[in-house]
Amino acid sequence: MTRLLVWRHGNTDYNAGGRVQGQTDAPLNARGRDQAAAGAALLASLKPDVLVSSDLSRAHDTASALAALTGLSIKSDARLRERHFGEWQGELLTDIEARYPAEYARWRAGDPSPGSGIESLDDLAKRMLAALQDAATLAPGGTVVVTTHGGAARQGCGALLGWPNEAIRTLGSLHNCHWTELRDRTKRTGGTGWQLMAHNVGVIGEH
Protein backbone atom coordinates (compact mmCIF):
# COMPACT_ATOMS: atom_id res chain seq x y z
CA MET A 1 0.00 0.00 0.00
CA THR A 2 1.17 3.57 -0.63
CA ARG A 3 2.29 5.52 2.42
CA LEU A 4 2.14 9.33 2.40
CA LEU A 5 4.05 11.26 5.07
CA VAL A 6 3.00 14.91 5.11
CA TRP A 7 5.81 16.81 6.85
CA ARG A 8 5.66 20.38 8.14
CA HIS A 9 8.73 22.60 7.74
CA GLY A 10 11.01 23.69 10.60
CA ASN A 11 10.75 26.80 12.74
CA THR A 12 11.16 30.31 11.33
CA ASP A 13 11.47 33.72 12.96
CA TYR A 14 7.88 34.34 11.82
CA ASN A 15 6.74 31.27 13.77
CA ALA A 16 8.71 32.33 16.81
CA GLY A 17 7.42 35.90 16.68
CA GLY A 18 3.72 35.20 16.13
CA ARG A 19 3.75 36.63 12.63
CA VAL A 20 1.54 35.33 9.79
CA GLN A 21 3.63 33.77 7.05
CA GLY A 22 1.18 32.58 4.43
CA GLN A 23 3.11 32.50 1.17
CA THR A 24 5.79 34.93 2.36
CA ASP A 25 9.13 33.20 1.78
CA ALA A 26 10.45 33.26 5.34
CA PRO A 27 13.59 31.11 5.77
CA LEU A 28 14.33 28.56 8.47
CA ASN A 29 16.08 29.91 11.55
CA ALA A 30 18.79 28.04 13.47
CA ARG A 31 16.23 26.15 15.50
CA GLY A 32 14.35 25.20 12.34
CA ARG A 33 17.50 23.83 10.74
CA ASP A 34 18.18 21.73 13.83
CA GLN A 35 14.58 20.48 13.80
CA ALA A 36 14.86 19.56 10.13
CA ALA A 37 18.03 17.56 10.76
CA ALA A 38 16.47 15.69 13.69
CA GLY A 39 13.22 14.99 11.85
CA ALA A 40 15.08 13.89 8.74
CA ALA A 41 16.97 11.27 10.75
CA LEU A 42 13.67 9.71 11.83
CA LEU A 43 12.13 9.89 8.36
CA ALA A 44 15.21 8.41 6.70
CA SER A 45 14.69 5.27 8.80
CA LEU A 46 11.29 4.86 7.11
CA LYS A 47 13.07 4.49 3.76
CA PRO A 48 11.21 7.03 1.61
CA ASP A 49 11.11 6.46 -2.14
CA VAL A 50 10.18 9.98 -3.26
CA LEU A 51 10.50 13.51 -1.84
CA VAL A 52 8.11 16.28 -2.90
CA SER A 53 8.18 19.80 -1.45
CA SER A 54 6.59 23.20 -1.54
CA ASP A 55 8.81 25.61 -3.42
CA LEU A 56 8.97 28.05 -0.49
CA SER A 57 12.44 27.97 1.05
CA ARG A 58 11.42 26.96 4.58
CA ALA A 59 9.85 23.77 3.19
CA HIS A 60 12.44 23.09 0.51
CA ASP A 61 15.33 23.52 2.96
CA THR A 62 13.59 21.17 5.40
CA ALA A 63 13.24 18.60 2.63
CA SER A 64 16.90 19.11 1.76
CA ALA A 65 17.91 17.73 5.17
CA LEU A 66 16.17 14.47 4.26
CA ALA A 67 17.52 14.49 0.72
CA ALA A 68 21.04 14.72 2.13
CA LEU A 69 20.51 11.54 4.16
CA THR A 70 18.69 9.51 1.51
CA GLY A 71 20.32 10.64 -1.72
CA LEU A 72 16.87 11.34 -3.17
CA SER A 73 16.18 14.40 -5.33
CA ILE A 74 13.40 16.83 -4.41
CA LYS A 75 10.44 17.37 -6.71
CA SER A 76 9.18 20.93 -6.22
CA ASP A 77 5.44 21.69 -6.36
CA ALA A 78 4.09 25.24 -5.85
CA ARG A 79 0.64 23.79 -5.09
CA LEU A 80 2.03 22.70 -1.71
CA ARG A 81 2.50 26.30 -0.56
CA GLU A 82 0.81 27.53 2.59
CA ARG A 83 -2.61 29.16 2.43
CA HIS A 84 -2.38 32.68 1.04
CA PHE A 85 -3.28 35.11 3.82
CA GLY A 86 -3.93 38.19 1.70
CA GLU A 87 -3.57 41.45 3.61
CA TRP A 88 -2.37 39.65 6.72
CA GLN A 89 0.85 38.21 5.32
CA GLY A 90 3.88 39.36 7.28
CA GLU A 91 1.77 40.94 10.03
CA LEU A 92 1.74 40.13 13.74
CA LEU A 93 -1.37 38.27 14.92
CA THR A 94 -1.85 40.82 17.69
CA ASP A 95 -1.90 43.66 15.13
CA ILE A 96 -4.26 41.72 12.86
CA GLU A 97 -6.74 41.20 15.70
CA ALA A 98 -6.71 44.95 16.39
CA ARG A 99 -6.91 46.12 12.76
CA TYR A 100 -9.28 43.48 11.35
CA PRO A 101 -11.48 42.46 14.30
CA ALA A 102 -14.43 41.16 12.27
CA GLU A 103 -12.33 39.17 9.82
CA TYR A 104 -10.12 37.89 12.62
CA ALA A 105 -13.13 36.66 14.57
CA ARG A 106 -14.50 34.88 11.48
CA TRP A 107 -11.12 33.26 10.85
CA ARG A 108 -10.84 32.06 14.44
CA ALA A 109 -14.38 30.66 14.21
CA GLY A 110 -13.44 28.63 11.14
CA ASP A 111 -15.18 30.68 8.46
CA PRO A 112 -13.88 29.12 5.21
CA SER A 113 -13.64 32.54 3.54
CA PRO A 114 -13.15 35.20 6.24
CA GLY A 115 -12.20 38.11 3.97
CA SER A 116 -9.08 40.34 3.83
CA GLY A 117 -8.03 38.57 0.63
CA ILE A 118 -7.41 35.27 2.44
CA GLU A 119 -7.54 32.16 0.25
CA SER A 120 -10.71 30.18 0.89
CA LEU A 121 -10.45 26.79 2.54
CA ASP A 122 -12.19 25.26 -0.47
CA ASP A 123 -9.55 26.61 -2.86
CA LEU A 124 -6.76 25.52 -0.51
CA ALA A 125 -8.26 22.03 -0.24
CA LYS A 126 -8.58 21.66 -4.02
CA ARG A 127 -4.96 22.50 -4.80
CA MET A 128 -3.59 20.50 -1.88
CA LEU A 129 -5.73 17.48 -2.74
CA ALA A 130 -4.47 17.52 -6.32
CA ALA A 131 -0.86 17.91 -5.17
CA LEU A 132 -1.06 15.06 -2.65
CA GLN A 133 -2.79 12.76 -5.12
CA ASP A 134 -0.15 13.48 -7.75
CA ALA A 135 2.64 12.93 -5.22
CA ALA A 136 1.20 9.54 -4.26
CA THR A 137 1.32 8.38 -7.88
CA LEU A 138 5.10 8.86 -7.96
CA ALA A 139 5.71 5.73 -5.86
CA PRO A 140 2.72 3.34 -5.98
CA GLY A 141 3.05 0.94 -3.07
CA GLY A 142 5.99 2.94 -1.70
CA THR A 143 6.62 5.79 0.73
CA VAL A 144 6.30 9.43 -0.33
CA VAL A 145 7.39 12.32 1.89
CA VAL A 146 5.65 15.62 1.14
CA THR A 147 7.13 18.71 2.80
CA THR A 148 4.61 21.50 3.20
CA HIS A 149 3.12 23.92 5.73
CA GLY A 150 0.88 23.69 8.78
CA GLY A 151 -2.44 24.97 7.49
CA ALA A 152 -1.94 23.48 4.05
CA ALA A 153 -1.08 20.08 5.54
CA ARG A 154 -4.21 19.96 7.69
CA GLN A 155 -6.55 21.02 4.89
CA GLY A 156 -4.88 18.73 2.35
CA CYS A 157 -4.95 15.67 4.58
CA GLY A 158 -8.58 16.32 5.46
CA ALA A 159 -9.48 16.64 1.80
CA LEU A 160 -7.68 13.40 0.97
CA LEU A 161 -9.63 11.65 3.73
CA GLY A 162 -12.91 13.11 2.47
CA TRP A 163 -13.61 15.02 5.68
CA PRO A 164 -15.83 18.14 5.81
CA ASN A 165 -14.34 21.38 7.13
CA GLU A 166 -16.01 20.87 10.51
CA ALA A 167 -14.11 17.60 10.97
CA ILE A 168 -10.84 18.98 9.60
CA ARG A 169 -10.88 21.70 12.26
CA THR A 170 -10.72 19.02 14.97
CA LEU A 171 -7.33 17.85 13.69
CA GLY A 172 -4.63 19.53 15.74
CA SER A 173 -2.07 21.70 13.98
CA LEU A 174 1.20 20.00 13.11
CA HIS A 175 4.19 21.04 15.20
CA ASN A 176 7.25 22.21 13.29
CA CYS A 177 8.98 19.25 11.60
CA HIS A 178 6.24 16.81 12.62
CA TRP A 179 4.19 14.82 10.15
CA THR A 180 0.91 13.08 9.42
CA GLU A 181 0.92 9.52 8.09
CA LEU A 182 -1.73 8.45 5.59
CA ARG A 183 -2.00 5.11 3.83
CA ASP A 184 -3.94 4.15 0.74
CA ARG A 185 -5.48 0.83 1.71
CA THR A 186 -7.67 0.50 -1.38
CA LYS A 187 -6.20 -2.78 -2.63
CA ARG A 188 -6.08 -4.38 0.80
CA THR A 189 -9.56 -3.37 1.98
CA GLY A 190 -11.42 -3.38 -1.31
CA GLY A 191 -12.10 0.30 -1.74
CA THR A 192 -11.85 2.26 1.51
CA GLY A 193 -9.10 4.49 0.12
CA TRP A 194 -6.95 6.73 2.30
CA GLN A 195 -6.85 6.28 6.05
CA LEU A 196 -5.25 8.34 8.82
CA MET A 197 -2.62 6.20 10.56
CA ALA A 198 -0.79 8.76 12.74
CA HIS A 199 -0.67 12.50 13.38
CA ASN A 200 1.91 14.89 14.85
CA VAL A 201 4.72 12.33 14.70
CA GLY A 202 8.24 13.62 15.24
CA VAL A 203 11.10 14.07 17.68
CA ILE A 204 9.76 13.69 21.22
CA GLY A 205 9.77 16.96 23.14
CA GLU A 206 10.40 19.09 20.04
CA HIS A 207 7.47 21.39 19.22
Side-chain angles (χ1 to χ4, degrees):
M1 73 193 90
T2 304
R3 176 167 59 174
L4 198 59
L5 303 173
V6 183
W7 191 25
R8 187 187 176 195
H9 62 78
N11 195 262
T12 70
D13 287 345
Y14 275 41
N15 291 146
R19 197 175 291 274
V20 173
Q21 293 182 111
Q23 294 187 11
T24 302
D25 199 12
L28 295 178
N29 56 24
R31 182 185 179 196
R33 291 190 292 274
D34 288 344
Q35 289 173 329
L42 287 181
L43 284 169
S45 70
L46 300 179
K47 302 187 184 307
D49 299 291
V50 173
L51 305 183
V52 186
S53 176
S54 158
D55 63 341
L56 295 179
S57 63
R58 60 187 182 272
H60 193 273
D61 290 349
T62 298
S64 294
L66 182 55
L69 294 180
T70 61
L72 296 171
S73 60
I74 302 169
K75 179 178 174 58
S76 184
D77 190 339
R79 295 175 298 176
L80 294 169
R81 289 184 177 189
E82 181 58 289
R83 185 182 190 182
H84 196 288
F85 272 84
E87 299 170 26
W88 297 6
Q89 293 195 157
E91 299 294 326
L92 291 168
L93 276 172
T94 50
D95 290 342
I96 291 167
E97 184 177 10
R99 291 172 57 196
Y100 306 91
E103 294 91 338
Y104 182 85
R106 288 198 293 270
W107 173 64
R108 282 296 192 194
D111 188 323
S113 189
S116 294
I118 299 172
E119 182 179 11
S120 74
L121 288 179
D122 287 344
D123 287 346
L124 174 61
K126 286 176 184 175
R127 67 173 168 85
M128 282 298 300
L129 176 60
L132 292 178
Q133 288 174 328
D134 286 350
T137 66
L138 298 175
T143 296
V144 179
V145 175
V146 174
T147 312
T148 183
H149 309 264
R154 178 163 61 180
Q155 204 67 26
C157 289
L160 196 62
L161 292 164
W163 292 0
N165 283 332
E166 293 77 12
I168 295 173
R169 288 192 70 219
T170 68
L171 194 63
S173 297
L174 281 175
H175 302 311
N176 287 119
C177 276
H178 283 53
W179 62 87
T180 299
E181 179 180 344
L182 304 166
R183 295 195 187 189
D184 185 357
R185 303 173 66 89
T186 302
K187 291 183 179 179
R188 175 170 291 187
T189 60
T192 59
W194 290 96
Q195 293 185 351
L196 175 65
M197 306 304 294
H199 181 63
N200 251 332
V201 182
V203 176
I204 295 174
E206 182 59 78
H207 290 175

